Amino acid sequence: MPTPEGGEPRVSGVAGGQGDAGTNGGGTTSSTPSPTALTPEAYKAELDRRHKSMTAAIKGMASARGVKALDQRVARAEEALSGAADALAALAPPDAVRAQHDAYVASLRDFATELGSTEGKVGARDLCTSSAVLTDLDDKLAALDEAGEALQSAGDYPADIVDVKAARKQTRRLSNGAFVRKGSTLNGRSSLEIDNGAPRDAVITVVRGGSKAFSVYVRKKAKFKVRGVRDGNYKIFFTQGVDWDGKNKAFTRECSFERFQKSVTFKTTFTATQIRWHDWRITLHAISGGNARTAPVDPDDFPG
């Protein structure tokens, strides 16, 4: 058989195609047409389908009480906004609002991504309240609000999902020895001295039976003596952190929750010639020779 000579190597057709299908007379392939843009009514309906769930997710996060609930709601908000961004990105909006739509979707994605980072901070107890979370998200929250307002203004579209405001970052503190709660009258003979040599402020809550006897604020590197403690058996809890939120009675950042493993007993003894009572001293930091161990407490079990 003779060997072919000359010529030019050539492949015709379309990969994955059937013969000539998909080609025109010049051998070129046709492009996939762009999806038809939604009508304003249809686009508004698509936005409205997701509006309620996104708004509820942000509101739920902002109203969370307690670290564990906050952790769960930040995760839910991240999931809701990520899902909405994916769904809206697949839409073809009316041409008149394409720029606003794209900016809104991008802002949703940015906010959802930031929520993922914030969730890690809540889990690590770097952020402990919803107000601290909103402050941490301030820039992304403002950008999402702005993008939503722009889309809404362009055609009365339901994109106004942000109705919460972030406060500026603060470091609020009570005075040393300020009582957060006084559950009973301090008219006993005993005293409890608290030495907080730790690097964060603390609130010490003392519980007798099922009732809180008192809660007192002791600043870092400071001491305070509670006088007039009545006889009884007491459990001692303490939370440490930064930025005391008096309304919610919690530290907003760098929070921890602990308790002393052993209870302390205050007892007054009367004799014919003497009155004797017990005084206790506790430290919230490790010391050489210390004999009172502490243990972490689930935030939900902390006596608030």
Side-chain angles (χ1 to χ4, degrees):
M1 178 180 294
T3 303
E5 296 180 359
E8 181 180 350
R10 178 175 299 175
V11 176
S12 63
V14 181
Q18 300 293 327
D20 293 344
T23 65
N24 56 24
T28 59
T29 61
S30 60
S31 61
T32 303
S34 299
T36 303
L38 295 171
T39 64
E41 292 75 16
Y43 179 59
K44 185 178 293 186
E46 292 289 345
L47 284 172
D48 196 49
R49 284 177 55 196
R50 296 164 181 87
H51 181 271
K52 185 176 180 180
S53 64
M54 288 193 292
T55 301
I58 294 176
K59 282 185 175 180
M61 181 178 68
S63 63
R65 294 290 178 266
V67 181
K68 292 177 70 175
L70 180 63
D71 197 9
Q72 294 168 354
R73 294 189 186 186
V74 170
R76 290 176 194 165
E78 190 274 335
E79 182 179 355
L81 270 71
S82 290
D86 290 342
L88 293 176
L91 300 179
D95 291 338
V97 294
R98 179 172 291 279
Q100 292 90 337
H101 169 86
D102 290 345
Y104 184 57
V105 170
S107 191
L108 281 172
R109 289 197 190 284
D110 287 348
F111 187 67
T113 299
E114 193 69 16
L115 279 169
S117 175
T118 298
E119 184 184 0
K121 295 177 185 178
V122 175
R125 303 289 190 265
D126 293 330
L127 302 175
C128 309
T129 65
S130 58
S131 62
V133 165
L134 293 176
T135 298
D136 191 64
L137 294 167
D138 187 19
D139 292 344
K140 299 298 183 184
L141 196 66
L144 178 57
D145 190 26
E146 183 178 348
E149 287 183 354
L151 181 54
Q152 186 180 27
S153 298
D156 194 27
Y157 294 112
D160 55 328
I161 62 171
V162 179
D163 62 357
V164 297
K165 300 298 180 183
R168 61 182 177 84
K169 191 173 183 178
Q170 304 178 75
T171 304
R172 294 162 289 181
R173 306 173 76 192
L174 296 181
S175 59
N176 190 56
F179 282 95
V180 177
R181 290 184 179 87
K182 266 191 178 181
S184 61
T185 304
L186 293 171
N187 59 1
R189 294 182 179 272
S190 300
S191 66
L192 175 65
E193 183 178 0
I194 302 157
D195 182 356
N196 182 16
R200 294 169 294 158
D201 290 359
V203 171
I204 299 85
T205 298
V206 179
V207 177
R208 181 186 180 189
S211 302
K212 292 181 286 291
F214 58 85
S215 295
V216 64
Y217 195 100
V218 180
R219 289 191 170 195
K220 62 182 181 180
K221 309 300 182 184
K223 300 177 182 179
F224 183 74
K225 181 179 285 188
V226 180
R227 302 181 186 275
V229 180
R230 301 168 68 179
D231 287 1
N233 193 48
Y234 294 84
K235 295 178 182 178
I236 301 176
F237 298 77
F238 62 97
T239 177
Q240 293 175 300
V242 175
D243 184 40
W244 179 253
D245 181 347
K247 181 179 179 181
N248 292 306
K249 293 184 172 56
F251 289 107
T252 71
R253 303 190 303 276
E254 299 178 41
C255 61
S256 63
F257 305 87
E258 297 182 68
R259 66 175 177 85
F260 284 90
Q261 291 182 344
K262 291 184 178 180
S263 301
V264 297
T265 300
F266 295 91
K267 184 178 180 180
T268 304
T269 304
F270 296 87
T271 69
T273 58
Q274 290 181 324
I275 302 175
R276 305 186 67 180
W277 60 87
H278 289 82
D279 291 330
W280 284 88
R281 177 177 179 268
I282 59 172
T283 61
L284 306 186
H285 57 284
I287 60 171
S288 177
N291 59 2
R293 294 184 178 275
T294 63
V297 175
D298 188 310
D300 285 354
D301 295 331
F302 193 85

